[in-house]
Amino acid sequence: MMEYKFSNLSLCDEEGMVFKKDDKFFRGIFNSQASILKFIQSTSFINLQAKGFLPETFLVENNNDQTFASILEHESANFVTYPHEWSFDMFKDACLFFLQLVEESVKNGHTIKDGHLYNIVFFNSKPKFVDIGSVVPSSGDIPSLNQFKQTALIPLMIWAKGYYLIANSLIRDDNGRVSLEDSFSIYKGLILANSTNIKGISKYLETRKVEFPMVWERNTGKLIHAIQSLKQEHQKSSWENYHKEYINQGKIIKTTPRFDTIVSIIKSLDVKSVYDVACNEGLLSLLVSERCENVEKIISSDFDENAINHFYLFLKENPVFNNITVAVSNFMTPTHSFQEDLPEERFQCDCVVALALTHHLILGQKFHIQAIAKRFASFTKKYLIIEFMPLGLWGGGTDPYPVIPDYYTENWYLNAFAPFFEIMDRKELETNRVCFVLKKK
């Protein structure tokens, strides 16, 4: 028991508890007569697993643990991300996946009792329903639909209208404190707020006719069709097209000596996992996946939801890059609830890479360099590859050099990392890019 790390998300499960050991996920079952043990031997389970809805699951033999009558081992995702860390199309795909799972379960005499999306985990770019205990014999109704609408459908509808932060706040309400009726009232209020002219009123009436009925619809087929038609109203963001010149029509069309150098460094290190922090649209992650045979899994995050959405759609269309998981996450100030494992636990890797990031954190967002260094140390097991920008926030080209604080020097920068790392290498990559390879102490 002391070796197990139990999941806070399974604390209310009556039949057992999910835990992690040696980077593998298990489910301990209290009672040898538990319904979940019968389910995994059923035709329904075999069908759902064969069609990719459920993770591979098998009974652990020679169970000597006296706490549990039986232990199941589950297929483990490379990295676990939560619904509020997904981009729009990830969240939309998870909603569609859930309803398709419900339909497929009903065909086999089962249904889903929990409607929140925390039971869905992306295995790289493919969702799977990991809480097999939530698949129960059907009584004719679908008990999870209201919870699904409350925690997933309405936030998706709000998100589609361009209100990302409001939708994300509802998605983070993992205990469902905001009721279905209140969520719907928020949605209606946002639609009404933009109906102050003839065009707005016309749009409201059309929305009321087409989208409002979705909230009370019980037919899963109609819900699937309605969700498929939802399109996100685009809101511009800073980094959404940052890698546009390098990635086009599903291909990496070019790279740079800088990226080639970083990839060669990663290839030379004894690492199996890489965390690409502030990855933008994912060029470095794609190059590492393509060229570094030593790297088995990659987690790529950025706080720009549009950039991650572009990256996710690319991965979805190009399954050859099948070892990359993406997440919308602010590296320094992520959001999470008490039930969730922290990002530094879920995303910790052998090597962390942060290109052209810390000058924004220091000079733009005013984070203390000591806090930044400590944060990076919490995410890496072995190495940190990081860029120092001696010219600060200089935009390149013919832009004038900005005024830089007197304290902002290379020695000052390295001194902050010294308690956690030792310097392995230093490379000047470009005019405003000095790359350091640091080894964790």
Side-chain angles (χ1 to χ4, degrees):
M1 288 287 289
M2 296 298 292
E3 299 176 4
Y4 303 161
K5 176 173 173 44
F6 288 95
S7 169
N8 288 329
L9 295 172
S10 70
L11 292 180
C12 297
D13 190 334
E14 296 179 356
E15 292 198 331
M17 295 183 71
V18 173
F19 61 90
K20 190 175 184 180
K21 181 183 178 184
D22 300 329
D23 288 330
K24 295 180 180 180
F25 282 94
F26 299 87
R27 184 184 301 269
I29 309 300
F30 299 129
N31 192 326
S32 60
Q33 301 301 313
S35 60
I36 192 172
L37 296 177
K38 298 176 183 177
F39 173 61
I40 64 171
Q41 299 178 52
S42 68
T43 302
S44 179
F45 173 78
I46 295 171
N47 289 340
L48 290 171
Q49 186 174 262
K51 292 184 178 181
F53 286 102
L54 305 178
E56 294 183 15
T57 300
F58 55 89
L59 194 66
V60 175
E61 297 181 359
N62 301 321
N63 169 34
N64 296 318
D65 192 302
Q66 297 183 10
T67 305
F68 302 115
S70 299
I71 294 179
L72 304 177
E73 181 176 347
H74 296 301
E75 175 189 3
S76 300
N78 286 339
F79 300 95
V80 174
T81 59
Y82 298 130
H84 60 81
E85 296 171 329
W86 300 341
S87 69
F88 177 80
D89 279 292
M90 289 179 76
F91 196 83
K92 178 180 175 180
D93 285 350
C95 288
L96 293 171
F97 171 85
F98 176 82
L99 293 173
Q100 290 160 356
L101 169 64
V102 169
E103 288 195 332
E104 194 64 33
S105 299
V106 169
K107 291 179 185 177
N108 292 278
H110 284 78
T111 190
I112 310 300
K113 68 177 182 180
D114 297 317
H116 59 79
L117 300 190
Y118 275 82
N119 285 335
I120 294 176
V121 170
F122 275 86
F123 285 65
N124 300 320
S125 58
K126 293 183 178 180
K128 292 189 179 185
F129 192 82
V130 297
D131 186 11
I132 61 175
S134 187
V135 186
V136 296
S138 175
S139 60
D141 189 24
I142 304 173
S144 57
L145 268 189
N146 279 352
Q147 187 182 34
F148 167 75
K149 292 172 182 177
Q150 171 189 349
T151 61
L153 176 61
I154 292 180
L156 180 68
M157 293 165 67
I158 291 173
W159 198 343
K161 297 301 180 185
Y163 298 102
Y164 167 59
L165 294 178
I166 296 175
N168 194 264
S169 295
L170 292 173
I171 293 166
R172 294 201 309 270
D173 180 30
D174 55 327
N175 281 322
R177 290 177 290 266
V178 181
S179 67
L180 174 60
E181 291 74 16
D182 287 343
S183 296
F184 188 38
S185 295
I186 293 171
Y187 173 70
K188 289 189 292 184
L190 292 170
I191 302 300
L192 283 168
N194 286 324
S195 304
T196 56
N197 52 39
I198 298 298
K199 184 178 179 180
I201 293 172
S202 175
K203 190 174 182 179
Y204 168 78
L205 293 174
E206 179 65 19
T207 300
R208 179 177 177 179
K209 176 183 177 182
V210 176
E211 295 184 13
F212 283 16
M214 292 170 59
V215 179
W216 314 115
E217 180 61 62
R218 305 295 297 178
N219 183 292
T220 53
K222 290 182 179 180
L223 282 171
I224 289 173
H225 178 74
I227 291 173
Q228 286 173 334
S229 67
L230 286 177
K231 305 294 181 184
Q232 182 183 18
E233 290 190 11
H234 183 68
Q235 304 289 320
K236 289 185 178 180
S237 58
S238 300
W239 310 103
E240 61 178 310
N241 292 314
Y242 196 65
H243 289 158
K244 187 177 182 180
E245 62 181 296
Y246 307 104
I247 304 170
N248 190 30
Q249 296 183 346
K251 294 181 180 180
I252 302 172
I253 56 176
K254 67 175 182 178
T255 180
T256 67
R258 170 189 171 226
F259 280 115
D260 292 341
T261 299
I262 299 296
V263 171
S264 67
I265 293 171
I266 295 172
K267 195 171 183 178
S268 69
L269 297 175
D270 176 25
V271 298
K272 294 183 178 181
S273 57
V274 170
Y275 181 14
D276 184 3
V277 181
C279 67
N280 303 128
E281 294 175 282
L283 176 60
L284 177 67
S285 298
L286 294 172
L287 291 170
V288 172
S289 177
E290 184 177 71
R291 300 181 185 178
C292 299
E293 298 86 356
N294 55 316
V295 176
E296 298 174 358
K297 56 183 182 179
I298 303 165
I299 176 70
S300 313
S301 75
D302 201 287
F303 71 3
D304 190 313
E305 186 268 330
N306 289 330
I308 291 296
N309 202 51
H310 291 173
F311 192 7
Y312 167 71
L313 292 175
F314 178 93
L315 294 173
K316 186 179 172 183
E317 295 299 320
N318 296 273
V320 64
F321 298 99
N322 60 2
N323 62 345
I324 302 176
T325 304
V326 298
V328 180
S329 182
N330 190 316
F331 179 73
M332 290 299 295
T333 57
T335 57
H336 53 82
S337 76
F338 84 96
Q339 289 181 298
E340 299 174 352
D341 290 334
L342 298 174
E344 54 264 42
E345 297 171 354
R346 292 178 287 123
F347 300 165
Q348 192 177 63
C349 286
D350 293 336
C351 179
V352 171
V353 184
L355 305 185
L357 172 62
T358 55
H359 63 308
H360 289 294
L361 298 177
I362 298 165
L363 302 175
Q365 300 178 38
K366 309 301 181 183
F367 282 103
H368 291 293
I369 182 63
Q370 291 81 4
I372 295 170
K374 185 177 180 180
R375 186 80 177 142
F376 276 111
S378 70
F379 277 89
T380 183
K381 299 176 183 177
K382 295 182 179 180
Y383 303 102
L384 172 63
I385 301 173
I386 196 164
E387 284 183 328
F388 173 70
M389 318 293 273
L391 300 178
L393 296 171
W394 178 57
T398 59
D399 290 353
Y401 290 167
V403 176
I404 300 171
D406 293 337
Y407 65 80
Y408 186 80
T409 65
E410 189 173 305
N411 284 337
W412 167 84
Y413 187 83
L414 290 174
N415 283 339
F417 288 88
F420 312 102
F421 300 94
E422 59 185 49
I423 301 174
M424 289 181 61
D425 198 4
R426 177 190 183 278
K427 295 181 183 292
E428 291 189 21
L429 301 181
E430 295 175 3
T431 302
N432 191 30
R433 301 183 193 276
V434 178
C435 174
F436 292 101
V437 182
L438 306 178
K439 185 176 182 179
K440 194 172 182 180
K441 291 182 177 178

Coordinates of all heavy atoms in Angstrom, one line a residue, residues 150-183:
Q150 N -24.5 19.2 -18.6 CA -24.1 20.2 -17.6 C -22.6 20.5 -17.7 O -22.2 21.7 -17.7 CB -24.5 19.7 -16.2 CG -24.0 20.6 -15.1 CD -24.3 19.8 -13.8 OE1 -25.0 18.9 -13.7 NE2 -23.7 20.3 -12.7
T151 N -21.8 19.5 -17.8 CA -20.3 19.7 -17.6 C -19.6 19.7 -19.0 O -18.4 20.1 -19.0 CB -19.7 18.5 -16.8 OG1 -20.0 17.3 -17.4 CG2 -20.4 18.5 -15.4
A152 N -20.3 19.3 -20.0 CA -19.6 19.2 -21.3 C -20.3 19.9 -22.5 O -19.7 20.8 -23.1 CB -19.4 17.7 -21.7
L153 N -21.6 19.6 -22.7 CA -22.3 20.1 -23.8 C -22.4 21.7 -23.8 O -22.1 22.4 -24.7 CB -23.6 19.5 -24.0 CG -24.5 20.1 -25.1 CD1 -23.9 19.9 -26.5 CD2 -25.9 19.4 -25.1
I154 N -22.9 22.2 -22.7 CA -23.1 23.6 -22.6 C -21.8 24.4 -22.6 O -21.7 25.4 -23.3 CB -24.0 24.0 -21.4 CG1 -25.4 23.4 -21.6 CG2 -24.0 25.5 -21.1 CD1 -26.4 23.7 -20.4
P155 N -20.8 23.9 -21.8 CA -19.5 24.6 -22.0 C -19.0 24.6 -23.4 O -18.4 25.6 -23.9 CB -18.6 23.8 -21.1 CG -19.5 23.3 -20.0 CD -20.8 23.0 -20.7
L156 N -19.2 23.5 -24.2 CA -18.8 23.5 -25.6 C -19.6 24.5 -26.4 O -19.0 25.2 -27.3 CB -19.0 22.0 -26.1 CG -18.6 21.9 -27.6 CD1 -17.1 22.0 -27.8 CD2 -19.1 20.5 -28.1
M157 N -20.9 24.6 -26.2 CA -21.7 25.6 -26.9 C -21.2 27.0 -26.6 O -21.2 27.9 -27.5 CB -23.2 25.4 -26.5 CG -23.7 24.0 -27.0 SD -25.3 23.6 -26.2 CE -26.4 24.9 -26.8
I158 N -20.9 27.3 -25.3 CA -20.4 28.6 -25.0 C -19.0 28.9 -25.6 O -18.8 29.9 -26.2 CB -20.3 28.7 -23.4 CG1 -21.7 28.7 -22.8 CG2 -19.5 29.9 -23.0 CD1 -21.7 28.6 -21.3
W159 N -18.2 27.8 -25.6 CA -16.9 27.9 -26.2 C -17.0 28.2 -27.7 O -16.2 29.0 -28.3 CB -16.1 26.6 -26.0 CG -14.7 26.7 -26.2 CD1 -13.9 27.6 -26.8 CD2 -13.7 25.7 -25.7 NE1 -12.6 27.3 -26.8 CE2 -12.4 26.1 -26.1 CE3 -13.9 24.5 -25.0 CZ2 -11.3 25.3 -25.8 CZ3 -12.8 23.7 -24.7 CH2 -11.5 24.2 -25.0
A160 N -17.9 27.6 -28.4 CA -18.1 27.7 -29.8 C -18.5 29.2 -30.2 O -18.2 29.6 -31.3 CB -19.2 26.8 -30.3
K161 N -19.1 29.9 -29.2 CA -19.5 31.3 -29.4 C -18.3 32.2 -29.2 O -18.5 33.5 -29.4 CB -20.7 31.7 -28.5 CG -21.9 30.9 -28.8 CD -22.4 31.1 -30.2 CE -23.7 30.3 -30.5 NZ -24.1 30.4 -31.9
G162 N -17.2 31.7 -28.8 CA -16.0 32.6 -28.6 C -15.7 32.9 -27.2 O -14.7 33.6 -26.9
Y163 N -16.4 32.3 -26.2 CA -16.2 32.7 -24.8 C -15.4 31.5 -24.2 O -15.9 30.8 -23.3 CB -17.5 32.8 -24.1 CG -18.4 34.0 -24.6 CD1 -19.4 33.7 -25.5 CD2 -18.1 35.3 -24.3 CE1 -20.2 34.7 -26.0 CE2 -18.9 36.3 -24.8 CZ -19.9 36.0 -25.6 OH -20.7 37.1 -26.1
Y164 N -14.1 31.5 -24.5 CA -13.2 30.4 -24.1 C -13.1 30.4 -22.6 O -13.2 29.3 -21.9 CB -11.9 30.5 -24.8 CG -10.8 29.6 -24.2 CD1 -11.0 28.2 -24.1 CD2 -9.6 30.2 -23.6 CE1 -10.0 27.4 -23.5 CE2 -8.7 29.4 -23.1 CZ -8.8 28.0 -23.0 OH -7.9 27.2 -22.5
L165 N -12.8 31.5 -22.0 CA -12.5 31.6 -20.5 C -13.7 31.2 -19.7 O -13.6 30.6 -18.6 CB -12.0 33.0 -20.2 CG -10.6 33.3 -20.8 CD1 -10.2 34.7 -20.3 CD2 -9.5 32.3 -20.3
I166 N -14.9 31.6 -20.1 CA -16.1 31.3 -19.4 C -16.4 29.8 -19.5 O -16.7 29.1 -18.5 CB -17.3 32.1 -19.9 CG1 -17.1 33.6 -19.7 CG2 -18.6 31.6 -19.3 CD1 -18.2 34.4 -20.3
A167 N -16.2 29.2 -20.7 CA -16.4 27.8 -20.9 C -15.4 27.0 -20.1 O -15.7 26.0 -19.4 CB -16.2 27.5 -22.4
N168 N -14.1 27.5 -20.0 CA -13.1 26.8 -19.3 C -13.4 26.8 -17.8 O -13.1 25.8 -17.1 CB -11.7 27.4 -19.6 CG -10.6 26.6 -19.1 OD1 -10.1 26.8 -18.0 ND2 -10.2 25.6 -20.0
S169 N -14.0 27.9 -17.3 CA -14.3 27.9 -15.9 C -15.4 26.9 -15.5 O -15.3 26.3 -14.5 CB -14.9 29.3 -15.5 OG -13.9 30.3 -15.7
L170 N -16.4 26.7 -16.4 CA -17.4 25.7 -16.2 C -16.8 24.3 -16.3 O -17.2 23.4 -15.6 CB -18.5 25.9 -17.2 CG -19.4 27.1 -17.1 CD1 -20.4 27.3 -18.2 CD2 -20.2 27.1 -15.7
I171 N -15.9 24.1 -17.2 CA -15.3 22.8 -17.4 C -14.5 22.4 -16.2 O -14.4 21.3 -15.7 CB -14.3 22.8 -18.7 CG1 -15.2 22.9 -19.9 CG2 -13.5 21.5 -18.7 CD1 -14.4 23.3 -21.2
R172 N -13.8 23.4 -15.5 CA -13.0 23.2 -14.3 C -13.9 22.9 -13.1 O -13.4 22.4 -12.1 CB -12.1 24.4 -14.0 CG -11.1 24.6 -15.0 CD -9.9 25.4 -14.4 NE -10.4 26.6 -13.7 CZ -10.5 27.8 -14.3 NH1 -10.3 28.0 -15.6 NH2 -10.9 28.9 -13.6
D173 N -15.2 23.1 -13.2 CA -16.1 22.8 -12.1 C -16.4 21.3 -12.1 O -17.5 20.8 -12.4 CB -17.4 23.6 -12.3 CG -18.4 23.3 -11.2 OD1 -18.0 23.1 -10.1 OD2 -19.7 23.4 -11.5
D174 N -15.3 20.5 -11.7 CA -15.4 19.1 -11.8 C -16.4 18.5 -10.8 O -16.8 17.3 -11.0 CB -14.0 18.5 -11.6 CG -13.4 18.9 -10.3 OD1 -13.6 20.0 -9.8 OD2 -12.6 18.1 -9.7
N175 N -16.8 19.2 -9.8 CA -17.8 18.7 -8.9 C -19.3 19.0 -9.2 O -20.2 18.7 -8.5 CB -17.5 19.1 -7.4 CG -16.4 18.3 -6.8 OD1 -16.3 17.1 -7.0 ND2 -15.6 19.0 -6.0
G176 N -19.4 19.7 -10.4 CA -20.8 20.1 -10.9 C -21.5 21.0 -10.0 O -22.7 20.8 -9.8
R177 N -20.9 22.0 -9.4 CA -21.6 22.9 -8.5 C -22.5 23.8 -9.3 O -23.5 24.3 -8.8 CB -20.6 23.8 -7.7 CG -19.8 23.0 -6.7 CD -18.7 23.8 -6.0 NE -17.6 24.1 -6.9 CZ -16.5 23.4 -7.0 NH1 -16.4 22.4 -6.2 NH2 -15.6 23.8 -7.8
V178 N -22.2 24.1 -10.5 CA -23.1 24.9 -11.4 C -24.1 23.9 -12.1 O -23.7 23.1 -12.8 CB -22.3 25.7 -12.5 CG1 -23.2 26.5 -13.3 CG2 -21.2 26.6 -11.8
S179 N -25.3 24.1 -11.8 CA -26.4 23.2 -12.2 C -26.6 23.3 -13.7 O -26.1 24.2 -14.4 CB -27.7 23.4 -11.5 OG -28.2 24.7 -11.9
L180 N -27.3 22.3 -14.3 CA -27.6 22.3 -15.7 C -28.4 23.6 -16.0 O -28.1 24.3 -17.1 CB -28.4 21.1 -16.1 CG -29.0 21.0 -17.5 CD1 -27.8 21.1 -18.5 CD2 -29.8 19.7 -17.7
E181 N -29.4 23.9 -15.2 CA -30.2 25.1 -15.5 C -29.4 26.4 -15.4 O -29.6 27.3 -16.2 CB -31.4 25.1 -14.4 CG -32.4 24.0 -14.6 CD -31.9 22.7 -14.1 OE1 -30.9 22.6 -13.4 OE2 -32.6 21.7 -14.5
D182 N -28.5 26.5 -14.4 CA -27.7 27.7 -14.3 C -26.7 27.8 -15.5 O -26.4 28.9 -16.0 CB -26.9 27.7 -13.0 CG -27.8 27.9 -11.8 OD1 -28.9 28.5 -12.0 OD2 -27.4 27.6 -10.6
S183 N -26.1 26.7 -15.9 CA -25.2 26.7 -17.0 C -26.0 27.1 -18.3 O -25.4 27.9 -19.1 CB -24.6 25.3 -17.3 OG -23.8 24.9 -16.2

